[in-house]
Amino acid sequence: PTAKINVAIDGPAGAGKSTVARKVAETLGYIYVDTGAMYRTVTLKALREGADLDDAKALAGLAERTDIRLVPEPGGQKVIMDGEDVTEPIRTKEVTSFVSKVAAVPDIRNVLVRLQRDIADRRGVVMDGRDIGTNVLPDAEVKVFMTASVRIRAERRWLELKEKDPEATVEGLMEAIAARDKSDSERATSPLKQADDAVLLDTSHLTADEAAERIVRLCRQALEV
Ligand code: CDP
Ligand code: CDP
């Protein structure tokens, strides 16, 4: 069949969204879109420019004049901000600690959601984030809400971080993740929330491959009808 569907994957930090979404996209020959990377890119720019993070208008203007490109690559994607490769710098602890605050600004969300919908227009997109199924792509044929316990999510992050940041601890990461969960779930605009028609997938005891397999199965079912 030539028809393509769109796949929305939402959930809290460390649930496995990006790893699993990437695998699903690879299996189906679809494009993976990491919307968190977009919010991180705007946050990086705001921090570099010393923008006032309490000035919503200024932040929205900054988002408006930022050129964000997600370039698909084997095994991942490159993030280009105004021509500069920022794939690495958007993952720093500093950006991570400020991103939820920036992402809560409605005008910033408007700018980025427009961009995300434009990308999804071509179909055949696997998009992950916090509000994809509820707000960005309410018509996505497959919606998954991915979760795992806070401890398991923190342990996963710790495994990724321990070499780069020997001071990272599972306890510290649990705190940081819980704080981000709270701020993402309690904000007024497009909070993190399971869509009514999303399938809940707890990955606490699944490998990334097992989680990807389940989603690919949902996609194949949606493609057959
Ligand atoms: O990879 P990780 O789970 O750490 O987070 P991310 O997906 O890179 O997203 C970083 C932050 O961007 C989240 O904590 C949210 O505050 C925000 N975000 C959002 O508000 N809406 C989205 N669709 C994606 C991310
Ligand atoms: O995108 P999100 O923040 O939801 O999570 P991620 O960055 O894809 O996953 C965080 C880490 O957990 C990665 O190192 C994955 O390899 C790992 N992971 C896992 O161990 N088991 C899973 N079922 C999914 C992810």
Side-chain angles (χ1 to χ4, degrees):
T2 48
K4 287 186 168 179
I5 59 171
N6 281 336
V7 184
I9 303 182
D10 291 298
K17 301 181 299 299
S18 51
T19 309
V20 173
R22 198 171 287 139
K23 286 178 188 288
V24 171
E26 205 178 359
T27 305
L28 298 175
Y30 283 13
I31 296 196
Y32 165 57
V33 182
D34 175 357
T35 65
M38 297 181 177
Y39 290 94
R40 287 174 178 276
T41 300
V42 173
T43 304
L44 175 69
K45 182 145 164 174
L47 291 172
R48 280 189 183 172
E49 293 194 357
D52 177 358
L53 297 187
D54 291 310
D55 185 345
K57 252 218 173 92
L59 286 178
L62 184 142
E64 197 83 64
R65 64 187 154 77
T66 308
D67 179 42
I68 304 173
R69 282 161 210 262
L70 303 182
V71 185
E73 281 214 314
Q77 83 179 350
K78 251 192 338 208
V79 184
I80 310 292
M81 174 180 90
D82 302 325
E84 175 192 349
D85 185 345
V86 294
T87 313
E88 293 287 322
I90 61 169
R91 304 283 159 196
T92 61
K93 214 177 357 181
E94 203 194 4
V95 170
T96 302
S97 67
F98 285 110
V99 62
S100 287
K101 188 173 166 79
V102 172
V105 176
D107 285 338
I108 290 200
R109 305 200 67 82
N110 287 337
V111 173
L112 297 185
V113 167
R114 219 186 303 138
L115 192 62
Q116 291 154 14
R117 289 186 181 142
D118 280 348
I119 298 174
D121 258 354
R122 72 180 98 168
R123 328 266 321 146
V125 162
V126 182
M127 190 175 282
D128 84 337
R130 301 293 187 285
D131 63 334
I132 310 307
T134 53
N135 176 51
V136 180
L137 305 178
D139 298 330
E141 286 81 356
V142 171
K143 295 184 187 180
V144 175
F145 193 81
M146 212 180 266
T147 58
S149 71
V150 178
R151 176 165 294 278
I152 285 183
R153 291 188 281 126
E155 285 170 355
R156 289 174 179 170
R157 277 286 184 265
W158 181 77
L159 286 174
E160 289 177 335
L161 276 174
K162 61 178 180 182
E163 256 126 65
K164 257 192 299 179
D165 180 3
E167 279 166 22
T169 62
V170 172
E171 304 302 324
L173 287 164
M174 280 178 73
E175 245 175 68
I177 283 179
R180 198 140 58 93
D181 285 358
K182 182 169 155 64
S183 129
D184 289 343
S185 313
E186 292 181 356
R187 70 177 175 228
T189 310
S190 310
L192 169 66
K193 182 175 162 273
Q194 182 178 350
D196 294 332
D197 51 352
V199 174
L200 180 67
L201 186 59
D202 186 332
T203 68
S204 297
H205 305 290
L206 295 179
T207 64
D209 280 333
E210 288 167 339
E213 246 170 67
R214 299 211 186 176
I215 297 177
V216 166
R217 214 177 302 146
L218 293 173
C219 293
R220 300 224 193 275
Q221 282 165 5
L223 281 162
E224 272 164 22
V225 292

